Amino acid sequence: MRFAQEAFGKQYKQTIGLDFFLKRISLPGNLNVTLQVWDIGGQTIGGKMLDKYIYGAQGILLVYDITNYQSFENIEDWYAVVKKVNDESEQQPMVALVGNKIDLEHMRTVKTEKHQRFCQENNISGHFVSAKTGDSVFLCFQRFAADIIGIKLNKAEIEQSQHIVRAELVNYPHDASLSQVSAHCRSKVCLIQ
């Protein structure tokens, strides 16, 4: 939803079966690419249609929640299914690992090293995004599409795709009574009320 419609639903809605999106992006050299994004729900791994959903895909993003260790452990099962289905295919898809919810870094249960180790062991690329804030979502899809086509993005193109999150500055009113207290205080200890 964040990539295709630039939206985020505050209410969690589990994907049942499959959601389908189209999104057109531009890559370097005035190359326009239309991506068909199929969002397959996590509970679908035991489903009878899964092999039909992923057979012939050019790219597969394995997404997990960095605050949910079980979701990361499930990635091994998903990757095994992807390899099994695509062993029967002539064209092997590009695969990448995506850690979502980087806006909740303080709640992280999957260490970055584990993510990177999985990527290295399986020779796949890795990304970190936040669907909530939009941080690196577009960049992830842009880099992944470029990898599939065989285009290298330079640093300027990568930086241009970064979603900048701007913090609002708050100017609190000055409290005169606090100034008088701090003027009499010789300690460098913080005052707590």
Side-chain angles (χ1 to χ4, degrees):
M1 291 283 294
R2 172 60 71 182
F3 172 65
Q5 300 174 350
E6 296 181 20
F8 178 78
K10 292 186 180 187
Q11 295 282 338
Y12 176 70
K13 182 187 134 250
Q14 185 177 26
T15 303
I16 305 297
L18 139 94
D19 285 338
F20 179 87
F21 304 97
L22 287 174
K23 177 78 173 191
R24 187 178 190 143
I25 64 170
S26 294
L27 293 176
N30 280 340
L31 183 59
N32 292 317
V33 177
T34 301
L35 300 175
Q36 282 186 11
V37 180
W38 295 27
D39 178 9
I40 301 172
Q43 80 287 354
T44 312
I45 194 160
K48 297 177 183 172
M49 294 296 291
L50 180 61
D51 57 340
K52 288 158 186 59
Y53 293 156
I54 62 178
Y55 183 84
Q58 291 176 301
I60 297 175
L61 296 173
L62 300 171
V63 183
Y64 71 95
D65 172 352
I66 68 164
T67 69
N68 179 338
Y69 195 81
Q70 184 63 49
S71 71
F72 179 77
E73 287 186 332
N74 292 343
I75 291 295
E76 287 197 28
D77 295 336
W78 276 96
Y79 192 53
V81 170
V82 167
K83 288 193 299 188
K84 180 180 177 237
V85 168
N86 287 300
D87 280 345
E88 301 162 11
S89 173
E90 296 161 13
Q91 178 185 346
Q92 292 298 311
M94 183 80 57
V95 179
L97 180 63
V98 180
N100 187 24
K101 298 190 181 180
I102 58 171
D103 56 298
L104 299 176
E105 184 66 35
H106 61 287
M107 296 171 59
R108 178 187 279 275
T109 60
V110 180
K111 294 189 186 291
T112 304
E113 296 79 31
K114 277 215 173 263
H115 175 103
Q116 292 168 335
R117 188 176 320 121
F118 186 89
C119 292
Q120 289 171 346
E121 288 172 358
N122 294 290
N123 196 28
I124 61 176
S125 63
H127 307 271
F128 290 102
V129 303
S130 170
K132 182 177 183 180
T133 66
D135 189 12
S136 297
V137 172
F138 182 81
L139 177 62
C140 172
F141 278 92
Q142 182 189 41
R143 290 177 79 176
F144 194 58
D147 286 347
I148 290 170
I149 295 173
I151 297 173
K152 282 285 184 200
L153 299 178
N154 63 38
K155 187 176 180 180
E157 291 160 340
I158 291 171
E159 288 174 358
Q160 183 179 7
S161 296
Q162 287 285 16
H163 174 78
I164 297 171
V165 178
R166 298 190 187 277
E168 184 178 325
L169 294 177
V170 178
N171 189 9
Y172 291 104
H174 185 65
D175 186 354
S177 64
L178 186 59
S179 297
Q180 291 171 352
V181 171
S182 60
H184 297 293
C185 184
R186 294 176 186 237
S187 171
K188 294 189 181 201
V189 177
C190 181
L191 175 65
I192 300 175
Q193 296 179 345

